[in-house]
Amino acid sequence: MNTILTNKIEEIRNNVAEWKKQGLKIGLVPTMGALHRGHESLIKKAKELCDKVIVSVFVNPTQFGPSEDYEKYPRTIETDKEVCKNNNVDIVFAPTVNEMYGNTLNNDQDLSNKSLTFVYPPYNLVDKLCGKTRIGHFDGVATVVLKLLNIVQPDFAFFGQKDAQQLIIIEKMVKDLNVPTKIITCPIIREEDGLALSSRNKYLTTEARKKALTISKSLSYIKELYEKGTNESQILFDSSISILDKSIELEYLEFVDMENLEKIDIINKKTLVAIAAKIDNVRLIDNIIIGKNSL
Ligand code: AMP
């Protein structure tokens, strides 16, 4: 099958208009590229539910802070296209920054420029977990996702549970702004040893990867302890923290409500256990869900 690669919004619109005329169901899988099996699982789910699938590949400058890895974020569009082709994706949409934002940004990451309309998700969702250190990140995410949803106007859009806070914020945005797209959540795909797949794993040396593995191990340990009857977050936190490699810079390990991200002390409902940590300066996130009806 012929997978089209385009960087033009107009080409997306023309194809989508044609497909809609034919009554076809359209799926969008937004990504930043450097595709791995995690992304592929989203694509496969999209292929299952939709007649036509568009994968966007866009390293979105407005969601990176000035000291983050925007410049060095892996860009592998040729192999990404192959992955998409192998999964029978209809279109890979890989716009330039200019195609997405025109000349509204002074430079790629200058959010002080006031000539762009932004989406600001509710503060109580963005001031927690990753949002505490990644100031403005979720504003950039919400803005680019809404733009992609407006460009493609898909029936379904697919997101990974791996970025749990992002998912909660997007679901809220879609609901609040009446976006007629159904958001589909896909489970976290892991390496055999438990490490959650991430485009940033590419930065890890063999030694750092070993340390990174202790992130998912600590989450599994929490699940195990919880299933054995410990339901106090503090106890679960204290016991699992010793599993993390000593050189890991822990940003947060929190037990929060799945809807409002408020802290949970006693786990008596579905609870998101989310972690962010830096290993040799590579920032990784992971999470699990525990509590009633968490399976
Ligand atoms: P990214 O390219 O990192 O922006 O991710 C694009 C989409 O893929 C997001 O919805 C992520 O949550 C999802 N994703 C990334 N890694 C994984 C993974 N290991 N398992 C499932 N989904 C993932």
Side-chain angles (χ1 to χ4, degrees):
M1 155 181 177
N2 186 26
T3 299
I4 300 169
L5 172 64
T6 182
N7 55 20
K8 292 278 171 276
I9 292 172
E10 200 186 336
E11 192 167 347
I12 297 294
R13 289 212 189 278
N14 291 341
N15 277 282
V16 167
E18 191 49 45
W19 295 339
K20 293 218 163 174
K21 253 194 250 160
Q22 296 170 31
L24 300 175
K25 286 264 172 283
I26 299 165
L28 170 67
V29 181
T31 81
M32 296 205 301
L35 301 184
H36 50 63
R37 284 189 295 110
H39 299 111
E40 267 188 281
S41 73
L42 271 55
I43 297 173
K44 286 186 198 318
K45 188 74 191 168
K47 288 296 297 181
E48 216 177 285
L49 295 185
C50 306
D51 304 304
K52 296 287 179 185
V53 172
I54 296 178
V55 173
S56 62
V57 174
F58 181 58
V59 183
N60 174 38
T62 65
Q63 70 188 66
F64 286 79
S67 60
E68 293 181 2
D69 57 347
Y70 173 67
E71 296 295 343
K72 77 168 210 206
Y73 196 86
R75 289 163 172 84
T76 60
I77 189 65
E78 285 310 317
T79 40
D80 291 347
K81 191 187 168 193
E82 276 312 299
V83 171
C84 289
K85 196 169 156 41
N86 295 338
N87 284 283
N88 295 321
V89 168
D90 296 276
I91 304 184
V92 180
F93 176 47
T96 59
V97 171
N98 194 57
E99 181 73 0
M100 285 298 279
Y101 290 108
N103 58 6
T104 53
L105 305 177
N106 281 339
N107 62 51
D108 277 359
Q109 286 169 272
D110 185 358
L111 301 184
S112 62
N113 186 314
K114 296 282 190 282
S115 57
L116 178 68
T117 304
F118 251 73
V119 179
Y120 295 105
Y123 194 64
N124 71 324
L125 293 181
V126 303
D127 71 341
K128 301 189 172 70
L129 306 178
C130 292
K132 275 195 279 196
T133 49
R134 302 194 73 188
I135 307 300
H137 168 69
F138 290 111
D139 305 338
V141 168
T143 302
V144 82
V145 170
L146 185 62
K147 282 164 76 70
L148 290 167
L149 292 174
N150 282 336
I151 291 165
V152 176
Q153 304 190 4
D155 299 281
F156 299 95
F158 299 80
F159 292 89
Q161 176 61 34
K162 162 93 180 350
D163 297 82
Q165 186 175 15
Q166 165 174 292
L167 188 58
I168 289 165
I169 287 172
I170 288 168
E171 276 176 337
K172 176 81 175 131
M173 173 187 78
V174 161
K175 183 166 172 254
D176 288 351
L177 301 182
N178 307 95
V179 180
T181 295
K182 187 166 170 39
I183 303 299
I184 307 288
T185 306
C186 302
I188 301 179
I189 303 297
R190 300 176 178 280
E191 303 278 13
E192 233 166 75
D193 58 10
L195 182 71
L197 293 182
S198 161
S199 304
R200 289 190 170 98
N201 291 353
K202 281 196 166 78
Y203 302 146
L204 298 171
T205 59
T206 314
E207 208 42 46
R209 195 196 175 288
K210 274 189 210 147
K211 296 177 191 169
L213 191 56
T214 62
I215 292 178
S216 56
K217 288 226 181 315
S218 64
L219 291 178
S220 307
Y221 189 57
I222 287 173
K223 194 169 166 63
E224 196 185 312
L225 286 185
Y226 170 75
E227 281 166 1
K228 282 187 186 148
T230 312
N231 69 351
E232 280 180 54
S233 308
Q234 191 61 50
I235 297 176
L236 291 168
F237 178 95
D238 292 342
S239 347
S240 64
I241 211 78
S242 60
I243 293 193
L244 283 178
D245 185 273
K246 296 291 164 281
S247 67
I248 283 185
E249 230 179 282
L250 180 66
E251 192 178 299
Y252 64 77
L253 168 58
E254 289 189 28
F255 298 72
V256 297
D257 183 284
M258 292 285 295
E259 270 165 37
N260 57 24
L261 299 178
E262 294 293 336
K263 280 195 182 167
I264 287 184
D265 295 326
I266 302 291
I267 297 150
N268 52 17
K269 60 175 165 180
K270 235 170 144 180
T271 300
L272 176 70
V273 187
I275 184 167
K278 273 190 186 162
I279 304 100
D280 298 352
N281 233 19
V282 179
R283 186 179 182 281
L284 298 178
I285 57 170
D286 198 352
N287 68 80
I288 50 163
I289 297 167
I290 57 174
K292 269 197 202 113
N293 309 319
S294 63
L295 296 177

